[in-house]
């Protein structure tokens, strides 16, 4: 599902990823661990097409990312994101936030997903009118709505307490059980209980 | 429409942009309308009843001109001349008012000032323009240390005139120490005007004879007002437009995070630019509309402000209004679309992280 070959990345002159090569099979739950500054977020951004690597090749679902013509549609239909901060659009309500991400044929799933995540009654509220845990659940709902092949999450529980963290992990695990590949970068070691594969980084290299 | 939601949910930002565009556009409108209005009134005053104007040779301003009123007798005898009158235009403190216009004119021109009450002035009498008369409840007024009885009030569609006084040319002559500022001649035959100009020019070596049309075109004071008002409105315009562009770009830059999220969610660069385009368009058109209405309201109010004594007046031409509309929209779009376009080319994750900083 994800094939990484010889990926390196520089910010300016500073190299932060060193010649990484690895593979993630379809349906796996990958945990990206490592200390702060080890390059987890950078690698996750590259894997999820949000950042172009300085060098190396990335294949997602069998396609070389740099050759994908309609990267926007590829992102929308095949990739779901959860960030540390919910990153919902403040001027759209919960329903509209999810609808913004949904492809046309998936718009009918929105209410079903909101219901599964227990936030259906919030759908007409705005992001600043709900709790942090609820916001993160909305962010997960937004990542799930298009039934993506891969979900990327960078510190998805970074701003949540352990009860809400567990909820988010279980939601991600549910998705994985349905066949979605899940990649999570986090400090939180609790997540190792859910992972099927673990990659630890140190100073931009795989340990 | 997502663009409208963004505008209505971010009210403070929208309002600030709206305000800055409105103020900039109003400044442009009012400055150019008022300076245009001043020139328009003065030239209308000169053009209304006369085809030919006679002034002293080599004088830059009619205020300094001195022409011998006796020329009128000879002029009236020229073929195709229907009438002529002389005028002294001056300015002086009147009563407690620091400065107001004084029109001294020959009797045959009094009818130009429509009486709204009283009678036309005899010797040592004046009639007051309606704007000025509101400030005097007395029977007589002091003009340059001389006392004049008020014999009536008059109205005029020319704002300048309603703020002044009209008296006999002989009285004005004593006040301003001259015979006449200029003589205006009317002809009953448009084709004969050039011939009349030649004949009058030959009468005296110290006079300058022009058709009123050419006079207005060449009058130095107009050129000065025109040029300086052009410079001022151009600067106001440029500053206003730069303000619009910079406010737009600040606002768009502060939304990088949002663009990054949208890109991560699979929205295309086109989608982002299209939404910013509509937001900008809606804001600039609405602000422009409000500025236009407010400017028209201010221009309609100005003639009624007593303090201005009717000296300030102005109107907006459709071409100016359209020109300002087009430039407003273009600058607003430049200001917003350039940063939006640059942002849309940046890696989404960098936008998102810049946004949190
Ligand atoms: N936009 C950037 N510009 C320059 N340097 C950056 C940028 N983003 C990250 N870095 C640097 O790259 C290195 C890796 O950062 P990264 O965010 O990938 O680490 P991380 O493992 O996610 O850390 P954390 O656990 O604290 O989130 C760090 O040294 C960081 O300072
Ligand atoms: Mg990180």
């Amino acid at each position: 599902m994800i094939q990484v070959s010889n990926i390196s990345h520089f910010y300016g002159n500073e190299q932060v990823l060193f010649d990484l090569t690895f593979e993630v099979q379809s349906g796996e739950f990958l945990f990206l661990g490592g200390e702060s500054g080890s390059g987890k977020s950078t690698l996750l951004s590259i894997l999820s097409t949000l950042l172009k690597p300085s060098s190396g090749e990335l294949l997602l679902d069998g396609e070389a990312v740099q050759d994908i013509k309609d990267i926007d549609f590829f992102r929308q239909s095949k990739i779901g994101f959860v960030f540390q901060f919910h990153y919902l659009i403040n001027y759209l309500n919960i329903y509209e936030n999810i609808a913004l991400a949904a492809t046309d044929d998936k718009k009918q799933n929105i209410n079903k997903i909101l219901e599964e995540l227990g936030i259906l009654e919030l759908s007409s509220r705005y992001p600043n009118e709900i709790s942090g845990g609820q916001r993160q659940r909305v962010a997960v709902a937004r990542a799930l709505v298009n039934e993506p092949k891969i979900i990327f999450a960078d510190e998805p529980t970074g701003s949540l307490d352990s009860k809400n963290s567990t909820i988010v992990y279980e939601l991600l695990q549910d998705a994985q059980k349905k066949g979605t590949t899940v990649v999570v970068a986090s400090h939180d070691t609790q997540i190792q209980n859910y992972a099927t594969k673990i990659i630890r980084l140190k100073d931009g290299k795989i340990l | 429409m997502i663009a409208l939601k963004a505008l209505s949910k971010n009210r403070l930002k929208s309002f600030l942009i709206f305000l800055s565009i409105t103020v900039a556009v109003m400044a442009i409108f009012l400055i150019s309308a008022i300076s245009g209005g001043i020139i328009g009134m003065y030239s209308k005053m000169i053009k209304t009843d006369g085809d030919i104007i006679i002034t002293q040779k080599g004088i830059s301003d009619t205020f300094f001109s001195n022409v011998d009123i006796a020329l009128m007798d000879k002029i009236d005898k020229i073929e195709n001349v229907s009438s002529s009158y002389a005028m002294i235009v001056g300015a002086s403190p009147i009563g407690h008012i620091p400065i107001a216009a004084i029109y001294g004119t020959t009797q045959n021109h009094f009818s130009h000032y429509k009486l709204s009450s009283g009678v036309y002035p005899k010797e040592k009498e004046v009639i007051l323009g309606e704007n000025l008369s509101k400030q005097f409840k007395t029977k007589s007024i002091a003009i340059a240390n001389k006392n004049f009885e008020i014999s009536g009030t008059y109205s005029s569609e020319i704002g300048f005139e309603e703020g002044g006084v009209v008296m006999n040319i002989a009285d004005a002559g004593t006040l301003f120490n001259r015979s006449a500022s200029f003589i205006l001649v009317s002809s009953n035959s448009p084709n004969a005007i050039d011939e009349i100009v030649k004949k009058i020019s030959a009468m005296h070596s110290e006079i300058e004879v022009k058709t009123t049309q050419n006079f207005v075109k060449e009058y130095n004071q107009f050129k000065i007002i025109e040029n300086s008002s052009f410079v001022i409105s151009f600067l106001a315009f440029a500053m206003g437009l730069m303000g619009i562009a910079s406010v737009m770009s600040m606002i768009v830059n502060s939304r990088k995070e949002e663009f990054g999220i949208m890109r991560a969610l699979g929205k295309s660069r086109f989608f982002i630019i299209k939404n910013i385009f509509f937001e900008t368009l809606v804001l600039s058109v609405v602000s422009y509309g409000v500025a236009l209405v407010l400017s028209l309201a201010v221009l309609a109010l100005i003639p009624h402000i007593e303090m201005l004594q009717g000296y300030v007046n102005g109107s907006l031409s459709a071409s100016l209004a359209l020109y300002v509309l087009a430039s407003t929209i273009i600058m607003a779009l430049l200001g917003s679309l350039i940063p939006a376009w640059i942002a849309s080319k940046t890696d989404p994750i960098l936008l998102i992280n810049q946004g949190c900083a």
Side-chain angles (χ1 to χ4, degrees), chain B residues 17 20-22 34 73 94 112 118 132 152 157 159 167 173-174 185 188 240 245 255 279 324 326 337:
Chain B
I17 308 177
S20 64
I21 299 182
T22 305
I34 289 172
D73 288 341
I94 298 182
H112 171 88
L132 192 68
E157 36 180 285
M167 61 173 67
T174 330
V185 179
N188 43 23
R255 287 170 61 178
E279 279 184 36
V324 173
L337 291 185

Side-chain angles (χ1 to χ4, degrees), chain A residues 88-100:
Chain A
L88 301 172
I89 307 280
N90 69 352
Y91 54 82
L92 298 178
N93 68 25
I94 302 312
Y95 183 91
E96 290 162 343
N97 258 288
I98 297 174
L100 179 71

Side-chain angles (χ1 to χ4, degrees), chain B residues 131-304:
Chain B
N131 261 321
L132 192 68
S133 72
K134 287 177 194 148
Q135 317 222 14
F136 290 99
K137 298 290 168 234
T138 48
K139 281 197 169 154
S140 67
I141 55 172
I143 301 175
N145 297 327
K146 291 200 171 65
N147 248 349
F148 288 83
E149 296 291 317
I150 300 170
S151 72
T153 58
Y154 65 91
S155 64
S156 165
E157 36 180 285
I158 297 166
F160 275 154
E161 294 184 345
E162 289 209 331
V165 307
V166 172
M167 61 173 67
N168 277 291
I169 194 161
D171 286 337
T174 330
L175 279 181
F176 297 110
N177 195 23
R178 69 198 53 209
S179 182
S181 299
F182 52 85
I183 298 172
L184 276 161
V185 179
S186 304
S187 163
N188 43 23
S189 148
N191 299 328
I193 289 177
D194 287 343
E195 190 58 32
I196 301 172
V197 168
K198 271 188 210 149
K199 283 182 187 164
I200 301 174
S201 301
M203 284 177 182
H204 203 291
S205 57
E206 284 302 299
I207 57 172
E208 194 150 344
V209 187
K210 284 181 180 167
T211 63
T212 44
Q213 241 155 13
N214 281 341
F215 178 81
V216 166
K217 231 188 288 168
E218 293 163 17
Y219 192 38
N220 260 332
Q221 298 305 95
F222 291 169
K223 284 189 196 153
I224 293 168
I225 298 178
E226 239 164 15
N227 289 340
S228 55
S229 85
F230 175 79
V231 170
I232 293 170
S233 27
F234 182 81
L235 288 180
F237 199 39
M239 272 165 54
L241 291 179
M242 285 189 293
I244 292 170
S246 67
V247 169
M248 289 311 302
S249 65
M250 268 162 51
I251 300 276
V252 168
N253 273 322
S254 74
R255 287 170 61 178
K256 279 186 181 161
E257 175 191 298
E258 179 190 328
F259 300 154
I261 298 163
M262 290 196 166
R263 296 279 288 140
L265 296 178
K267 294 297 171 195
S268 63
R269 298 169 58 184
F270 174 73
F271 174 87
I272 291 167
I273 290 178
K274 183 187 76 183
N275 279 302
I276 291 297
F277 176 86
F278 278 114
E279 279 184 36
T280 309
L281 199 65
V282 167
L283 259 180
S284 50
V285 169
V286 168
S287 317
Y288 171 89
V290 171
L292 182 64
V293 170
L294 286 179
S295 302
L296 290 174
V298 170
L299 290 176
L301 269 178
I302 279 178
H304 302 290

